[in-house]
Amino acid sequence: MDFLEKEDPGRKDGKNGHFAGLQRFGDDQGTALWTVLTNKKEIEDAIQKRTKQFEEEEERTQNERNRQQNETHEEILETEEVPTLTSEEMNTNQTRNTPKDMVTEEVDTRNNVVASEEIVELTKAAKEATASAKEATASAKEATAAAKEATAAAKEATEAVSASSAGKACCAIM
């Protein structure tokens, strides 16, 4: 006899059940979840609860990292003297590599990253606006062409009516 058929609660006594008493729930994307829960609502609630716990823990961890980093930066800024450069040093573009300079560089880099992300978003918005303007221009051109065709048709109809009226007038005189 197969060990699983004998010992596995899901397959014991001839049952064709789940592995080790766990049920497998999957989705269309290939994700599988093995659980002892049987009610789909319970499973969804448990997933939501765990997701919330994970997000809270991640936020606490990130906040702690930020706090520690800020404390380190503050300590560096408090203990380091601000270097002054002579005009000769400024002219030769010599840089200092002190912890305070590194903190300042890191802050500048973060600001540049934020600015770059904003530029990317603004560029996307500008491209979308340009595409919308091009579509509006194309629609306006089509409307203008249709109006020209309608004007030409109206002119032809007016000329036809005028010619017809002139012909009737000639016939009436005879």
Side-chain angles (χ1 to χ4, degrees), residues 27-47:
D27 63 14
D28 296 339
Q29 298 170 346
T31 303
L33 171 69
W34 290 88
T35 180
V36 294
L37 301 175
T38 57
N39 182 324
K40 193 163 184 97
K41 176 75 171 127
E42 287 177 336
I43 294 170
E44 290 173 3
D45 290 344
I47 290 172

Side-chain angles (χ1 to χ4, degrees), residues 148-158:
K148 286 181 180 179
E149 289 177 15
T151 302
K155 187 176 180 181
E156 287 177 14
T158 302

Side-chain angles (χ1 to χ4, degrees), residues 73-89:
H73 289 171
E74 287 172 7
E75 288 172 7
I76 290 170
L77 291 172
E78 288 173 2
T79 59
E80 290 282 320
E81 284 187 29
V82 177
T84 54
L85 298 176
T86 65
S87 60
E88 183 179 312
E89 288 174 322

Side-chain angles (χ1 to χ4, degrees), residues 51-95:
T51 300
K52 185 176 179 183
Q53 289 172 342
F54 176 78
E55 289 170 349
E56 289 171 353
E57 180 61 28
E58 189 66 26
E59 184 178 352
R60 277 192 300 275
T61 302
Q62 187 61 41
N63 288 341
E64 180 61 22
R65 279 190 213 123
N66 290 343
R67 187 190 61 73
Q68 289 173 349
Q69 190 174 27
N70 288 339
E71 285 177 1
T72 303
H73 289 171
E74 287 172 7
E75 288 172 7
I76 290 170
L77 291 172
E78 288 173 2
T79 59
E80 290 282 320
E81 284 187 29
V82 177
T84 54
L85 298 176
T86 65
S87 60
E88 183 179 312
E89 288 174 322
M90 284 189 234
N91 289 336
T92 59
N93 291 327
Q94 293 179 349
T95 59

